[in-house]
Amino acid sequence: MSEQTVQIRTSGKVLQSPCGPIVHGLEDVLIKNTTISDIDGEKGILWYRGYRIEDLAKFSNYEEVSFLVLYGRLPTRSELKEYERRLKSSRDLHPATVEVIRALAKAHPMFALEAAVAAEGAYDEDNQKLIEALRVGRYKAEEKELAYRIAEKLIAKLPTMVAYHYRFSKGLELVRPRDDLSHAANFLYMMFGKEPDPLAAKGIDLYLILHADHEVPASTFTAHVVASTLSDLYSSVAAAIAALKGPLHGGANEMAVRNYLEIGDPSKAKELVEAATKPGGPKLMGVGHRVYKAYDPRARIFKEFSRDYVAKFGDPKNLFAVASAIEHEVLNNPYFQQRKLYPNVDFWSGIAFYYMGVPYEYFTPIFAVSRVVGWVAHILEYWENNRIFRPRACYAGPHDLQYIPIDQR
């Protein structure tokens, strides 16, 4: 390594490296070619497989979108019907997985979700077959078909895992999945034990569409890293869930709703936003994004849904009113304008969840219920040209120190 010290400015600070440029946090580092999703952060555009998120949100549902993300094209009517049938037939869990979830009833649901995914992988015979094939370096047509079957199972099972944990955490009897309900409606049915209001089911379906993929954030990158070792899909998704659990990734919508409840009164928004511009001031959760330097298109879509939801069911805690007032102040404040900080999807998505009766701690698991299709699609794409990830670190310590025996130190 060169002994020359290189200064790198990243995220507002200078890093020292004797080895060469270090991209702190791997910001904007390219890891592969993809056809799954694309983001124009400057213009605020999101595409899945070339389709604008606005069109998919308006015309599609999660089942069709998940098929698109996973298989790379929109399905025919017969293909979609058969895909839905396969998902419905895979919704329930191995009895041992159910017991794992029961044992973790008092744990945060993200811990239970990690464990449940790993457990289900241990008992899935298809997964064991794929593991054996990957172990000997075999990944041809038969193994790919197996991998896609496992991917579909993961999409089908994550809602059940989350709903079962909710039931156990409340000391309630399990509500088994029904095969006559959509992906979103069945999820709410399993959680609350009754068929959901159609608008609530629409809201969950919309949320699942908006979060199905988002290029390569931390959780998706984690899935790539694990899968690159030729570990299995279940283990890769469990690792992705662990990354999503971190407060810098998932969970911003929970904190946003907590902020709205604490503020309580829209008239306080101007003072709050002004305080956020000062050093050491409060952080506005759901404002700003690593990629978007314009208004998040998903936020615009879910804002409209949130407006419809409170119009029907009311806004007794002033959540929508407070959020609207904060947004108005943010969009008209020079501090946020100059830094291109706009509301993102987390700014709006938790409001409807709260009014549906979904506890805060389940907001991020529902994110995982959506994003699982993006995780598995990226893994399968990467396996087409797999190479194990092996980055390097710049060693900045001494060499060839003399060892001193312990009784001479």
Side-chain angles (χ1 to χ4, degrees):
M1 295 289 186
S2 169
E3 292 301 317
Q4 180 182 3
T5 298
V6 180
Q7 293 187 342
I8 316 100
R9 182 171 296 279
T10 175
S11 301
K13 63 180 180 180
V14 176
L15 299 181
Q16 305 289 341
S17 169
C19 312
I22 293 176
V23 182
H24 199 52
L26 300 182
E27 187 167 358
D28 295 330
V29 170
L30 303 176
I31 66 164
K32 68 170 189 177
N33 292 318
T34 186
T35 62
I36 298 172
S37 66
D38 190 24
I39 304 166
D40 186 328
E42 294 297 325
K43 296 180 179 179
I45 304 173
L46 171 62
W47 299 267
Y48 294 166
R49 301 288 191 179
Y51 294 93
R52 292 280 288 258
I53 192 64
E54 293 86 353
D55 290 336
L56 295 173
K58 183 177 181 179
F59 299 116
S60 195
N61 61 19
Y62 183 71
E63 287 89 332
E64 184 176 55
V65 168
S66 64
F67 185 101
L68 169 68
V69 171
L70 185 60
Y71 289 103
R73 58 183 174 79
L74 289 171
T76 64
R77 189 177 299 277
S78 61
E79 286 176 329
L80 180 59
K81 184 176 181 180
E82 176 59 21
Y83 176 67
E84 290 172 343
R85 184 199 66 77
R86 294 196 302 269
L87 291 182
K88 290 173 180 178
S89 69
S90 298
R91 283 174 173 169
D92 219 342
L93 308 175
H94 191 282
T97 303
V98 177
E99 292 308 308
V100 168
I101 299 171
R102 187 196 306 272
L104 294 170
K106 298 305 179 184
H108 191 284
M110 289 296 282
F111 282 106
L113 190 56
E114 283 180 71
V117 168
E120 193 71 14
Y123 294 105
D124 184 340
E125 292 183 1
D126 286 338
N127 196 44
Q128 300 310 311
K129 292 176 184 176
L130 183 58
I131 288 171
E132 291 302 318
L134 292 174
R135 189 169 291 161
V136 297
R138 189 173 68 250
Y139 188 65
K140 299 187 181 299
E142 182 179 343
E143 290 74 36
K144 291 178 184 180
E145 182 179 341
L146 202 57
Y148 275 91
R149 188 156 70 235
I150 294 166
E152 290 184 0
K153 290 181 186 181
L154 278 158
I155 295 165
K157 292 178 187 298
L158 256 69
T160 309
M161 293 173 182
V162 175
Y164 280 12
H165 185 270
Y166 172 79
R167 303 293 293 185
F168 282 137
S169 73
K170 299 295 183 182
L172 301 171
E173 292 295 320
L174 293 187
V175 176
R176 299 288 177 180
R178 278 172 43 178
D179 61 8
D180 61 332
L181 294 175
S182 70
H183 200 71
N186 179 67
F187 171 63
L188 287 175
Y189 169 72
M190 289 190 296
M191 281 195 76
F192 299 122
K194 60 181 180 180
E195 288 194 33
D197 179 271
L199 189 59
K202 171 61 180 174
I204 294 295
D205 184 71
L206 184 60
Y207 181 88
L208 298 182
I209 290 171
L210 297 180
H211 286 76
D213 194 56
H214 211 234
E215 208 205 40
V216 193
S219 59
T220 308
F221 180 61
T222 301
H224 278 90
V225 172
V226 175
S228 78
T229 71
L230 297 185
S231 185
D232 62 295
L233 279 162
Y234 284 94
S235 297
S236 301
V237 167
I241 291 167
L244 183 66
K245 186 171 61 183
L248 294 183
H249 191 0
N253 55 359
E254 173 185 344
M255 296 307 299
V257 171
R258 289 182 184 273
N259 285 349
Y260 306 154
L261 287 168
E262 184 178 344
I263 296 162
D265 185 345
S267 67
K268 298 179 180 179
K270 185 176 183 66
E271 180 183 351
L272 173 75
V273 171
E274 189 60 34
T277 68
K278 309 301 183 186
K283 181 175 175 58
L284 297 181
M285 301 306 297
V287 175
H289 193 276
R290 177 69 77 87
V291 177
Y292 291 115
K293 305 307 175 188
Y295 201 104
D296 183 342
R298 303 167 302 168
R300 185 173 289 107
I301 294 166
F302 214 85
K303 176 185 178 180
E304 292 304 311
F305 170 78
S306 300
R307 178 183 286 118
D308 292 343
Y309 196 86
V310 300
K312 179 174 182 178
F313 295 106
D315 190 15
K317 298 288 188 179
N318 284 331
L319 299 181
F320 187 84
V322 169
S324 297
I326 293 173
E327 179 186 72
H328 175 77
E329 297 298 332
V330 165
L331 295 179
N332 289 281
N333 189 298
Y335 176 91
F336 294 93
Q337 292 173 342
Q338 292 166 9
R339 290 162 177 78
K340 298 184 178 180
L341 299 174
Y342 297 86
N344 63 51
V345 67
D346 293 319
F347 189 86
W348 293 106
S349 60
I351 295 171
F353 287 175
Y354 179 88
Y355 285 137
M356 288 177 197
V358 177
Y360 298 122
E361 59 268 27
Y362 289 88
F363 289 8
T364 306
I366 297 174
F367 189 144
V369 166
S370 169
R371 186 57 58 84
V372 63
V373 67
W375 292 334
V376 294
H378 276 282
I379 291 167
L380 297 176
E381 182 180 65
Y382 193 74
W383 273 351
E384 291 296 326
N385 187 28
N386 187 68
R387 185 168 176 79
I388 188 171
F389 282 92
R390 179 51 171 97
R392 297 290 305 277
C394 180
Y395 178 71
H399 288 110
D400 300 324
L401 296 178
Q402 183 177 1
Y403 179 80
I404 303 172
I406 191 167
D407 54 2
Q408 297 178 21
R409 296 174 205 163

